[in-house]
Amino acid sequence: DGQYLVEYNESLTGEATVTLQPRTELLERGATHPTLHVDALPRVPLSVGGAGLKLKENARVSTVVDAAD
């Protein structure tokens, strides 16, 4: 359990601001990160519950749910 820092290996294109939220699968496994409105992918704090979490490299932890120009 604890706090970790997620660094994305992808980037956003264009100038739109997007809403980035944790994937449902991540939430179901007891982990989360804040929902953010961003125009570039920052490092994001990941909170993991007491049961822990096995996370593979390049795992999908976030999804873009909205893009606004």
Side-chain angles (χ1 to χ4, degrees), residues 41-59:
L41 293 176
R43 290 182 178 172
V44 176
L46 179 71
S47 298
V48 178
L53 176 70
K54 288 186 179 181
L55 193 62
K56 292 184 178 182
E57 184 176 356
N58 297 322

PDB file of all heavy atoms in Angstrom, residues 41-59:
ATOM      1  N   LEU A  41       0.393  15.107 -20.594  1.00  0.00           N
ATOM      2  CA  LEU A  41       0.328  14.063 -19.573  1.00  0.00           C
ATOM      3  C   LEU A  41       1.404  14.268 -18.520  1.00  0.00           C
ATOM      4  O   LEU A  41       2.595  14.073 -18.794  1.00  0.00           O
ATOM      5  CB  LEU A  41       0.468  12.679 -20.206  1.00  0.00           C
ATOM      6  CG  LEU A  41      -0.686  12.268 -21.113  1.00  0.00           C
ATOM      7  CD1 LEU A  41      -0.389  10.920 -21.760  1.00  0.00           C
ATOM      8  CD2 LEU A  41      -1.993  12.219 -20.348  1.00  0.00           C
ATOM      9  N   PRO A  42       0.995  14.651 -17.309  1.00  0.00           N
ATOM     10  CA  PRO A  42       1.961  14.857 -16.229  1.00  0.00           C
ATOM     11  C   PRO A  42       2.247  13.540 -15.506  1.00  0.00           C
ATOM     12  O   PRO A  42       1.602  12.520 -15.772  1.00  0.00           O
ATOM     13  CB  PRO A  42       1.207  15.800 -15.294  1.00  0.00           C
ATOM     14  CG  PRO A  42      -0.213  15.341 -15.421  1.00  0.00           C
ATOM     15  CD  PRO A  42      -0.374  14.959 -16.885  1.00  0.00           C
ATOM     16  N   ARG A  43       3.169  13.570 -14.591  1.00  0.00           N
ATOM     17  CA  ARG A  43       3.303  12.448 -13.655  1.00  0.00           C
ATOM     18  C   ARG A  43       2.117  12.542 -12.708  1.00  0.00           C
ATOM     19  O   ARG A  43       1.725  13.627 -12.297  1.00  0.00           O
ATOM     20  CB  ARG A  43       4.601  12.541 -12.883  1.00  0.00           C
ATOM     21  CG  ARG A  43       5.797  12.276 -13.749  1.00  0.00           C
ATOM     22  CD  ARG A  43       7.055  12.316 -12.951  1.00  0.00           C
ATOM     23  NE  ARG A  43       8.192  12.000 -13.798  1.00  0.00           N
ATOM     24  CZ  ARG A  43       9.425  12.105 -13.401  1.00  0.00           C
ATOM     25  NH1 ARG A  43       9.719  12.523 -12.184  1.00  0.00           N
ATOM     26  NH2 ARG A  43      10.407  11.805 -14.225  1.00  0.00           N
ATOM     27  N   VAL A  44       1.540  11.400 -12.364  1.00  0.00           N
ATOM     28  CA  VAL A  44       0.305  11.366 -11.585  1.00  0.00           C
ATOM     29  C   VAL A  44       0.511  10.510 -10.341  1.00  0.00           C
ATOM     30  O   VAL A  44       1.033   9.390 -10.434  1.00  0.00           O
ATOM     31  CB  VAL A  44      -0.847  10.786 -12.441  1.00  0.00           C
ATOM     32  CG1 VAL A  44      -2.115  10.639 -11.650  1.00  0.00           C
ATOM     33  CG2 VAL A  44      -1.083  11.659 -13.666  1.00  0.00           C
ATOM     34  N   PRO A  45       0.084  11.002  -9.161  1.00  0.00           N
ATOM     35  CA  PRO A  45       0.184  10.188  -7.957  1.00  0.00           C
ATOM     36  C   PRO A  45      -0.833   9.040  -7.987  1.00  0.00           C
ATOM     37  O   PRO A  45      -2.003   9.249  -8.281  1.00  0.00           O
ATOM     38  CB  PRO A  45      -0.105  11.165  -6.824  1.00  0.00           C
ATOM     39  CG  PRO A  45      -0.923  12.241  -7.458  1.00  0.00           C
ATOM     40  CD  PRO A  45      -0.480  12.325  -8.888  1.00  0.00           C
ATOM     41  N   LEU A  46      -0.381   7.850  -7.706  1.00  0.00           N
ATOM     42  CA  LEU A  46      -1.214   6.655  -7.674  1.00  0.00           C
ATOM     43  C   LEU A  46      -1.318   6.181  -6.240  1.00  0.00           C
ATOM     44  O   LEU A  46      -0.295   5.941  -5.591  1.00  0.00           O
ATOM     45  CB  LEU A  46      -0.595   5.559  -8.554  1.00  0.00           C
ATOM     46  CG  LEU A  46      -1.324   4.232  -8.603  1.00  0.00           C
ATOM     47  CD1 LEU A  46      -2.623   4.369  -9.388  1.00  0.00           C
ATOM     48  CD2 LEU A  46      -0.437   3.164  -9.237  1.00  0.00           C
ATOM     49  N   SER A  47      -2.527   6.059  -5.734  1.00  0.00           N
ATOM     50  CA  SER A  47      -2.761   5.565  -4.369  1.00  0.00           C
ATOM     51  C   SER A  47      -3.170   4.101  -4.438  1.00  0.00           C
ATOM     52  O   SER A  47      -4.100   3.741  -5.165  1.00  0.00           O
ATOM     53  CB  SER A  47      -3.874   6.362  -3.696  1.00  0.00           C
ATOM     54  OG  SER A  47      -3.509   7.713  -3.594  1.00  0.00           O
ATOM     55  N   VAL A  48      -2.481   3.272  -3.663  1.00  0.00           N
ATOM     56  CA  VAL A  48      -2.742   1.833  -3.639  1.00  0.00           C
ATOM     57  C   VAL A  48      -3.206   1.448  -2.246  1.00  0.00           C
ATOM     58  O   VAL A  48      -2.587   1.835  -1.255  1.00  0.00           O
ATOM     59  CB  VAL A  48      -1.476   1.040  -4.029  1.00  0.00           C
ATOM     60  CG1 VAL A  48      -1.735  -0.451  -3.948  1.00  0.00           C
ATOM     61  CG2 VAL A  48      -1.018   1.437  -5.423  1.00  0.00           C
ATOM     62  N   GLY A  49      -4.285   0.677  -2.168  1.00  0.00           N
ATOM     63  CA  GLY A  49      -4.856   0.248  -0.895  1.00  0.00           C
ATOM     64  C   GLY A  49      -4.014  -0.803  -0.197  1.00  0.00           C
ATOM     65  O   GLY A  49      -2.992  -1.274  -0.715  1.00  0.00           O
ATOM     66  N   GLY A  50      -4.457  -1.202   0.978  1.00  0.00           N
ATOM     67  CA  GLY A  50      -3.720  -2.112   1.841  1.00  0.00           C
ATOM     68  C   GLY A  50      -3.445  -3.481   1.267  1.00  0.00           C
ATOM     69  O   GLY A  50      -2.491  -4.144   1.655  1.00  0.00           O
ATOM     70  N   ALA A  51      -4.266  -3.949   0.324  1.00  0.00           N
ATOM     71  CA  ALA A  51      -4.055  -5.270  -0.261  1.00  0.00           C
ATOM     72  C   ALA A  51      -2.923  -5.274  -1.280  1.00  0.00           C
ATOM     73  O   ALA A  51      -2.489  -6.335  -1.727  1.00  0.00           O
ATOM     74  CB  ALA A  51      -5.344  -5.763  -0.919  1.00  0.00           C
ATOM     75  N   GLY A  52      -2.445  -4.088  -1.665  1.00  0.00           N
ATOM     76  CA  GLY A  52      -1.369  -4.002  -2.643  1.00  0.00           C
ATOM     77  C   GLY A  52      -1.887  -4.133  -4.063  1.00  0.00           C
ATOM     78  O   GLY A  52      -3.084  -4.296  -4.306  1.00  0.00           O
ATOM     79  N   LEU A  53      -0.979  -4.059  -5.019  1.00  0.00           N
ATOM     80  CA  LEU A  53      -1.338  -4.112  -6.432  1.00  0.00           C
ATOM     81  C   LEU A  53      -0.117  -4.556  -7.223  1.00  0.00           C
ATOM     82  O   LEU A  53       0.975  -4.031  -7.032  1.00  0.00           O
ATOM     83  CB  LEU A  53      -1.788  -2.727  -6.911  1.00  0.00           C
ATOM     84  CG  LEU A  53      -2.118  -2.576  -8.389  1.00  0.00           C
ATOM     85  CD1 LEU A  53      -3.404  -3.325  -8.722  1.00  0.00           C
ATOM     86  CD2 LEU A  53      -2.255  -1.102  -8.750  1.00  0.00           C
ATOM     87  N   LYS A  54      -0.294  -5.537  -8.094  1.00  0.00           N
ATOM     88  CA  LYS A  54       0.758  -5.922  -9.021  1.00  0.00           C
ATOM     89  C   LYS A  54       0.461  -5.197 -10.323  1.00  0.00           C
ATOM     90  O   LYS A  54      -0.577  -5.425 -10.950  1.00  0.00           O
ATOM     91  CB  LYS A  54       0.777  -7.433  -9.246  1.00  0.00           C
ATOM     92  CG  LYS A  54       1.284  -8.200  -8.061  1.00  0.00           C
ATOM     93  CD  LYS A  54       1.425  -9.670  -8.379  1.00  0.00           C
ATOM     94  CE  LYS A  54       1.972 -10.410  -7.176  1.00  0.00           C
ATOM     95  NZ  LYS A  54       2.150 -11.839  -7.467  1.00  0.00           N
ATOM     96  N   LEU A  55       1.367  -4.333 -10.722  1.00  0.00           N
ATOM     97  CA  LEU A  55       1.161  -3.509 -11.910  1.00  0.00           C
ATOM     98  C   LEU A  55       2.321  -3.748 -12.869  1.00  0.00           C
ATOM     99  O   LEU A  55       3.483  -3.550 -12.527  1.00  0.00           O
ATOM    100  CB  LEU A  55       1.110  -2.037 -11.493  1.00  0.00           C
ATOM    101  CG  LEU A  55       0.619  -1.038 -12.512  1.00  0.00           C
ATOM    102  CD1 LEU A  55      -0.824  -1.324 -12.910  1.00  0.00           C
ATOM    103  CD2 LEU A  55       0.729   0.371 -11.947  1.00  0.00           C
ATOM    104  N   LYS A  56       1.998  -4.205 -14.076  1.00  0.00           N
ATOM    105  CA  LYS A  56       3.031  -4.466 -15.072  1.00  0.00           C
ATOM    106  C   LYS A  56       3.469  -3.163 -15.742  1.00  0.00           C
ATOM    107  O   LYS A  56       2.711  -2.202 -15.817  1.00  0.00           O
ATOM    108  CB  LYS A  56       2.499  -5.418 -16.148  1.00  0.00           C
ATOM    109  CG  LYS A  56       2.244  -6.808 -15.648  1.00  0.00           C
ATOM    110  CD  LYS A  56       1.819  -7.700 -16.784  1.00  0.00           C
ATOM    111  CE  LYS A  56       1.606  -9.126 -16.306  1.00  0.00           C
ATOM    112  NZ  LYS A  56       1.239 -10.007 -17.413  1.00  0.00           N
ATOM    113  N   GLU A  57       4.688  -3.166 -16.241  1.00  0.00           N
ATOM    114  CA  GLU A  57       5.167  -2.029 -17.013  1.00  0.00           C
ATOM    115  C   GLU A  57       4.259  -1.831 -18.220  1.00  0.00           C
ATOM    116  O   GLU A  57       3.816  -2.798 -18.848  1.00  0.00           O
ATOM    117  CB  GLU A  57       6.600  -2.299 -17.480  1.00  0.00           C
ATOM    118  CG  GLU A  57       7.222  -1.133 -18.200  1.00  0.00           C
ATOM    119  CD  GLU A  57       8.682  -1.377 -18.576  1.00  0.00           C
ATOM    120  OE1 GLU A  57       9.221  -2.437 -18.206  1.00  0.00           O
ATOM    121  OE2 GLU A  57       9.251  -0.518 -19.224  1.00  0.00           O
ATOM    122  N   ASN A  58       3.949  -0.592 -18.527  1.00  0.00           N
ATOM    123  CA  ASN A  58       3.072  -0.207 -19.637  1.00  0.00           C
ATOM    124  C   ASN A  58       1.611  -0.576 -19.412  1.00  0.00           C
ATOM    125  O   ASN A  58       0.826  -0.606 -20.358  1.00  0.00           O
ATOM    126  CB  ASN A  58       3.555  -0.788 -20.972  1.00  0.00           C
ATOM    127  CG  ASN A  58       4.906  -0.267 -21.365  1.00  0.00           C
ATOM    128  OD1 ASN A  58       5.217   0.900 -21.149  1.00  0.00           O
ATOM    129  ND2 ASN A  58       5.742  -1.126 -21.920  1.00  0.00           N
ATOM    130  N   ALA A  59       1.224  -0.870 -18.187  1.00  0.00           N
ATOM    131  CA  ALA A  59      -0.175  -1.176 -17.890  1.00  0.00           C
ATOM    132  C   ALA A  59      -1.043   0.054 -18.120  1.00  0.00           C
ATOM    133  O   ALA A  59      -0.609   1.188 -17.910  1.00  0.00           O
ATOM    134  CB  ALA A  59      -0.316  -1.635 -16.439  1.00  0.00           C
TER     135      ALA A  59
END
